[in-house]
Amino acid sequence: MFQYDFMQRAFLAGGLIALIAPLLGVYLVLRRQSLMSDTLSHVSMAGVALGTVLHVSPVLCGFLFAIMGGLMIEQLRRTYKTYSEVPVAIIMTSGLALAMVLMSLKTTLNKSFSSYLFGSIVAVSSSQLLIIAAVTLIGLLFFMLLRRPLYSLTFEEDTAAVSGIRVKMLSFAFAVVAGMIVAAAMPIVGVLLVSSLIVLPSAFALRFAGGFVSASVLAVVTGMAGVFSGLTASYYTDTPPGGSIALILLIILLAGIGLQRVFKLAKKRRAGKTEAILRQQTNQTIHEGVLK
């Protein structure tokens, strides 16, 4: 399948997205903002619709809308500090409603939207590949250079502020990077499934890793395994790449949870047998002592 240029671009783009999206997912899951990626994808869809209606680059509009959505969520999060889910609900419904209204203005929009909604291997052009590479580089630099402040911000925002970290600026910068990554992932997995590539590898890694760094590495490895196997399955079975990738990531997560429970059960049984043997040996020793 690598004799086709579109498959080479798809694997390159998928590898780049799998490198950066799970890293974002680890922070979002730990900050209890898992739905933020889903929200930004819906907002980005509104941007794509507006760009199509106005005959402006849909990709560029999707990027701008995703970034603006991230900034608005961050601003609303400071307004509704007690109700952290309210900003996500407000922006998600607003983005979805705007996308539906814009799509109704142009009847031919529904058909061209399928590649954005569900992902398409052939949707990744050379220019989009360059955009994804640029976003991946920016995201990696952001997470590497600001690793310690982001770590403090993720676990205790008030403590981070006391220690001198500019929490507000860093949170808005994080929202901008999150919007860029979500918009860049759209050609691969589609708007409706972009959160699966961000959240599922992170959920798997956080369950098995022993620390933050190991969780980040395991999330990236899991994301790459899901993307590459999903694209391969999509090519040979002619199924949507977004759905294939999401299903494989879900299978990996469920299989991991199942194996973890099996190991725990086996360990518990071994501990029970060892305890029974020790109890039997103790009783036998006491019995022999009494007979003497």
Side-chain angles (χ1 to χ4, degrees), residues 224-284:
M224 285 193 171
V227 167
F228 292 150
S229 55
L231 287 175
T232 304
S234 173
Y235 175 80
Y236 286 108
T237 60
D238 196 24
T239 53
S244 303
I245 292 170
L247 280 177
I248 288 175
L249 288 173
L250 182 63
I251 291 171
I252 292 174
L253 176 63
L254 295 178
I257 293 173
L259 285 175
Q260 190 182 42
R261 289 188 176 179
V262 169
F263 285 137
K264 280 185 178 179
L265 186 61
K267 187 177 179 181
K268 190 176 180 181
R269 286 183 177 177
R270 282 199 300 271
K273 286 182 179 178
T274 304
E275 186 180 355
I277 293 171
L278 289 173
R279 191 183 299 116
Q280 186 180 6
Q281 289 177 346
T282 303
N283 292 335
Q284 188 176 357

Side-chain angles (χ1 to χ4, degrees), residues 9-20 136 188 220 224 227-228 231:
R9 288 195 298 272
F11 270 79
L12 282 173
L16 290 170
I17 291 298
L19 186 62
I20 193 64
T136 303
I188 297 296
V220 171
M224 285 193 171
V227 167
F228 292 150
L231 287 175

Side-chain angles (χ1 to χ4, degrees), residues 76-289:
L76 287 172
R77 195 172 68 85
R78 298 178 180 284
T79 305
Y80 295 95
K81 288 186 178 179
T82 310
Y83 309 101
S84 58
E85 74 283 0
V86 172
V88 173
I90 292 173
I91 300 301
M92 180 184 287
T93 53
S94 302
L96 192 58
L98 181 59
M100 291 175 65
V101 170
L102 290 171
M103 288 170 67
S104 68
L105 298 178
K106 199 167 185 178
T107 54
T108 57
L109 197 60
N110 291 331
K111 191 174 181 180
S112 62
F113 243 53
S114 59
S115 62
Y116 286 103
L117 289 174
F118 305 107
S120 172
I121 291 177
V122 294
V124 183
S125 63
S126 298
S127 58
Q128 286 175 328
L129 183 58
L130 290 175
I131 293 173
I132 292 170
V135 170
T136 303
L137 180 61
I138 292 171
L140 286 176
L141 288 174
F142 178 78
F143 289 126
M144 288 173 64
L145 297 177
L146 300 174
R147 183 172 64 87
R148 292 186 181 280
L150 282 172
Y151 185 85
S152 302
L153 180 72
T154 299
F155 288 100
E156 187 53 62
E157 194 168 313
D158 293 333
T159 306
V162 171
S163 63
I165 295 173
R166 303 179 72 175
V167 171
K168 187 175 181 180
M169 183 176 290
L170 186 59
S171 296
F172 278 110
F174 179 81
V176 170
V177 173
M180 292 171 63
I181 294 173
V182 169
M186 281 173 53
I188 297 296
V189 290
V191 171
L192 297 179
L193 296 173
V194 68
S195 60
S196 64
L197 185 54
I198 293 175
V199 175
L200 291 179
S202 313
F204 176 83
L206 290 172
R207 190 172 183 89
F208 295 97
F212 184 79
V213 175
S214 57
S216 301
V217 173
L218 184 57
V220 171
V221 172
T222 306
M224 285 193 171
V227 167
F228 292 150
S229 55
L231 287 175
T232 304
S234 173
Y235 175 80
Y236 286 108
T237 60
D238 196 24
T239 53
S244 303
I245 292 170
L247 280 177
I248 288 175
L249 288 173
L250 182 63
I251 291 171
I252 292 174
L253 176 63
L254 295 178
I257 293 173
L259 285 175
Q260 190 182 42
R261 289 188 176 179
V262 169
F263 285 137
K264 280 185 178 179
L265 186 61
K267 187 177 179 181
K268 190 176 180 181
R269 286 183 177 177
R270 282 199 300 271
K273 286 182 179 178
T274 304
E275 186 180 355
I277 293 171
L278 289 173
R279 191 183 299 116
Q280 186 180 6
Q281 289 177 346
T282 303
N283 292 335
Q284 188 176 357
T285 303
I286 294 173
H287 180 68
E288 289 173 355

